[in-house]
Amino acid sequence: MRYPNGYDPVEAARHCVVTLDKDSPPRVLFCGEDLVEVKLPAGTRVVYAKPPIPGLTDRQAAIRHALAHPENMEPLEALLRPGMKVTIAVDDISLPLPMMPLPDIRQSVLEILLELLAAKGVDDVHIIIATSFHRRLTEPEVRRMVGRRIFDAYYPKRLYNHDGENPDGMVELGRTGHGEPARLNRRAADSDLLIYSNINLVPMDGGHKSVGVGLCDYPTLRAHHTPQAILASDSYMDPGRSGLAHSCNRIGRLIEKHLKVFHIETALNNRMFDSLSEFLGGNEDGFTGLDKMKLAATRFTMSKLSYPTKRRLYFKIPSAYELIGVHAGETEATHARILQYCYDQYCIPLEGQSDVMITGITYISPYNVNSIMNPVLVQVMALGYFFNFYRGMPVVKKNGVMIVTHPCYDEFDPVFHPSYIEFFNRVLVETRDSLVMQKKYEEEFARDPAYIKMYREGHAYHGVHPFYMWYWGENGRAHIGKVIVVGANNQRVPAILGWDQADTMEEALERAESHVGRKPSITLMHFPPILMADVSGTPESIPTRTLEPTAAAL
């Protein structure tokens, strides 16, 4: 892959891994909405994100080129004819994180698509926001995403959120050889052409997952949003070794036997921070005097603000993401091209595993945009996302320790996450065993009429969604022997999650030593921005493992 300005992904990774000595300055970690400085032992390995791949200079030209030169398909223009029914589906605002600067890439793609469709005499066009079982976007969120001109012309009759609970809005196209039902939004299934435009922020995005998950309903999600599928995934950020991806691929291939799908995939760089704050993703050894002043000022300001005020402030600040690649055409060929951008931007070679992995947890996840990072979402960021940002083998050894920083506040958004409240305070208090909760509780939450009404008519995540978020951490829980949280402002949340608690990083490392032995090897994964470890060597295990408290003891 050739990138602007001679960017070389291999060369970019050379300075991303550093080993601390006794004189190294503290490292800066996110702890929810706050920033903390932690002094780590000499010998700690710190992994930083690569510098951003330079963005494309002409976004519109790149999109038009992709539509005219697709992968394993005719150009989009050749597929269009007057009077046909076309549905365009786009990702919701669960990515990128934080929101990207305007114009949003979805707006750029839609403007070009709608212009092309109009020129070919196609006027039966709907735009569906592929929310799956995520919450419905609000009107301001939709307007910002697509731009005022498209919003005014299409919303709400021809631009709307997917509804996976509409009794007349879903259709089953068949079942895979594994018995997985391929159920799809009826408008999309009845179209002469379905165009899906996605954003591939991480490698688990895109491909057949876009249509097969984004436009499906509960019977289809239940086929692969399971602890069994996650346990069958050796990092679901590596699609070739992901049971979740394999199931989505089977369903997607079946869908495409019934429906013409033209896929558009885009990749962004990792420029999460703008020029004023980009030092936060860099090596603290290279902080300038100005960087140190900005850090001190940020920490002081945030210390004076309430959590809700901090959240509102953060969510108003866009990232600086740039488009680095766009391809279109047949789903699997297109996805393969885009995955390479992800790996070139994120992957850093790492030799061997560590006894202890440390990371900070931020204020945002794909599931709390404009909302609270509740305890279940803190869990999924730690054991779901950050644990799984690897290829080859996990950064931490089997039965090792993961240390995270987060306040773990006992707060939930009753509008966006109503079923999370019951899940956390009822289900998790009884059991943390995913197989038990899957069998005993999942369908009850999935079929609950009140939760369905809030999903369909309000802005709530579907009633079953917290189960998926718990399952998402299943291979992390199965692999890691102990999770220790630093900075929690209460004891209840860590106890219910099954995590140990420490007031300081020094105390957390002492607790880690009691589990893995003295002088453990330590790796700090310095999120954000996004990074992945290509871990090589021989997998290792830590023989000792402490017993977690039983649910009855909570």
Side-chain angles (χ1 to χ4, degrees):
M1 195 83 70
R2 293 184 179 180
Y3 293 107
N5 303 330
Y7 184 97
D8 182 345
V10 176
E11 184 62 32
R14 293 192 188 281
H15 304 291
C16 291
V17 183
V18 300
T19 302
L20 305 185
D21 58 38
K22 63 181 179 63
D23 297 321
S24 295
R27 304 296 112 168
V28 180
L29 304 182
F30 271 90
C31 182
E33 292 82 357
D34 294 313
L35 296 167
V36 296
E37 293 183 279
V38 296
K39 181 71 175 176
L40 296 172
T44 296
R45 181 172 61 177
V46 185
V47 186
Y48 294 93
K50 290 180 182 178
I53 294 173
L56 299 176
T57 56
D58 192 334
R59 177 190 293 188
Q60 284 73 22
I63 295 168
R64 293 182 188 278
H65 183 271
L67 301 182
H69 302 85
E71 309 293 325
N72 297 343
M73 287 185 78
E74 295 178 271
L76 178 59
E77 187 174 14
L79 301 177
L80 304 177
R81 65 182 187 277
M84 69 188 305
K85 177 188 289 189
V86 173
T87 297
I88 305 170
V90 296
D91 286 341
D92 68 9
I93 59 169
S94 60
L95 48 84
L97 306 171
M99 60 184 177
M100 67 187 308
L102 296 178
D104 190 291
I105 187 62
R106 283 159 286 221
Q107 176 182 339
S108 299
V109 172
L110 284 171
E111 287 175 344
I112 292 172
L113 286 175
L114 294 173
E115 173 191 311
L116 184 57
L117 289 167
K120 298 295 287 187
V122 180
D123 54 16
D124 185 355
V125 179
H126 283 208
I127 304 168
I128 303 177
I129 304 166
T131 52
S132 187
F133 272 11
H134 293 182
R135 67 173 177 84
R136 295 167 62 246
L137 273 60
T138 65
E139 287 190 24
E141 289 169 337
V142 177
R143 185 184 297 110
R144 186 188 190 279
M145 183 177 76
V146 304
R148 181 171 293 277
R149 185 164 62 90
I150 294 175
F151 180 87
D152 290 345
Y154 285 83
Y155 188 87
K157 299 262 185 206
R158 296 190 294 153
L159 166 60
Y160 47 86
N161 295 281
H162 168 67
D163 181 356
E165 288 289 354
N166 183 347
D168 300 317
M170 301 299 300
V171 60
E172 184 165 319
L173 301 179
R175 290 180 176 257
T176 71
H178 287 68
E180 300 141 323
R183 294 179 56 82
L184 197 65
N185 180 287
R186 184 178 295 277
R187 163 70 200 200
D190 290 345
S191 297
D192 298 303
L193 177 66
L194 172 63
I195 303 171
Y196 197 108
S197 176
N198 99 313
I199 299 174
N200 241 82
L201 189 65
V202 296
M204 72 173 290
D205 299 330
H208 285 297
K209 181 173 177 284
S210 292
V211 173
V213 171
L215 297 174
C216 77
D217 62 2
Y218 180 56
T220 293
L221 286 174
R222 187 168 54 180
H224 45 61
H225 277 45
T226 65
Q228 294 87 347
I230 298 302
L231 285 171
S233 301
D234 188 1
S235 173
Y236 46 71
M237 296 297 173
D238 187 353
R241 302 172 70 178
S242 167
L244 173 66
H246 295 332
S247 179
C248 290
N249 289 344
R250 291 189 293 268
I251 291 170
R253 289 166 189 154
L254 176 56
I255 289 171
E256 293 188 2
K257 290 181 179 179
H258 297 266
L259 176 64
K260 188 78 167 180
V261 179
F262 187 91
H263 217 79
I264 304 167
E265 294 210 9
T266 61
L268 306 177
N269 62 15
N270 67 348
R271 199 181 294 277
M272 179 178 175
F273 300 111
D274 62 17
S275 58
L276 292 176
S277 57
E278 63 184 351
F279 72 95
L280 290 173
N283 186 342
E284 291 83 353
D285 298 326
F287 276 13
T288 65
L290 180 59
D291 292 335
K292 295 174 183 177
M293 289 177 59
K294 289 191 287 187
L295 173 62
T298 301
R299 295 189 65 198
F300 175 79
T301 301
M302 290 300 170
S303 72
K304 302 300 181 183
L305 303 177
S306 66
Y307 280 135
T309 301
K310 294 175 190 178
R311 290 179 200 127
R312 287 194 296 269
L313 179 61
Y314 275 124
F315 282 124
K316 288 181 179 178
I317 302 173
S319 63
Y321 294 120
E322 300 168 303
L323 179 68
I324 57 174
V326 54
H327 292 275
E330 185 270 327
T331 302
E332 294 184 24
T334 301
H335 190 49
R337 295 292 302 272
I338 288 294
L339 277 178
Q340 191 58 52
Y341 293 89
C342 291
Y343 294 140
D344 285 351
Q345 178 65 93
Y346 299 144
C347 287
I348 298 159
L350 205 60
E351 180 63 36
Q353 298 174 292
S354 291
D355 300 313
V356 178
M357 172 182 166
I358 302 173
T359 188
I361 307 294
T362 68
Y363 61 93
I364 193 170
S365 83
Y367 315 105
N368 77 307
V369 176
N370 297 321
S371 184
I372 298 166
M373 179 85 98
N374 66 55
V376 180
L377 298 181
V378 174
Q379 172 272 153
V380 77
M381 289 303 292
L383 294 172
Y385 281 89
F386 288 164
F387 170 79
N388 279 281
F389 275 123
Y390 72 86
R391 293 193 299 182
M393 54 185 168
V395 173
V396 63
K397 297 175 185 176
K398 175 72 173 177
N399 293 331
V401 172
M402 186 177 194
I403 301 175
V404 300
T405 56
H406 196 274
C408 287
Y409 24 70
D410 192 356
E411 294 183 58
F412 294 82
D413 187 322
V415 175
F416 288 176
H417 302 118
S419 66
Y420 279 70
I421 301 171
E422 183 180 4
F423 176 85
F424 185 73
N425 291 287
R426 176 187 168 206
V427 178
L428 275 183
V429 167
E430 178 177 324
T431 182
R432 291 191 291 270
D433 188 320
S434 294
L435 299 178
V436 172
M437 62 177 64
Q438 178 189 37
K439 181 178 180 180
K440 186 174 181 180
Y441 291 113
E442 180 187 311
E443 189 158 355
E444 174 194 340
F445 278 64
R447 306 296 188 190
D448 186 288
Y451 290 143
I452 290 174
K453 182 179 178 65
M454 287 185 277
Y455 161 77
R456 296 196 65 199
E457 300 177 12
H459 297 282
Y461 279 80
H462 195 280
V464 78
H465 199 264
F467 289 81
Y468 299 156
M469 295 299 92
W470 189 257
Y471 301 162
W472 238 236
E474 191 66 18
N475 54 5
R477 280 188 296 276
H479 184 90
I480 291 171
K482 184 184 291 292
V483 179
I484 306 171
V485 60
V486 177
N489 64 12
N490 65 89
Q491 296 182 350
R492 181 173 183 268
V493 167
I496 291 177
L497 294 177
W499 295 358
D500 280 12
Q501 184 177 349
D503 293 331
T504 65
M505 185 61 69
E506 291 77 12
E507 180 186 346
L509 289 170
E510 288 177 3
R511 287 177 176 268
E513 285 189 356
S514 70
H515 183 81
V516 301
R518 293 188 58 77
K519 296 184 178 180
S521 54
I522 305 169
T523 295
L524 166 62
M525 297 293 283
H526 202 284
F527 298 104
I530 297 171
L531 62 139
M532 288 182 62
D534 273 338
V535 186
S536 59
T538 303
E540 298 180 61
S541 296
I542 295 167
T544 58
R545 180 164 183 158
T546 57
L547 293 176
E548 301 288 357
T550 63
L554 295 177

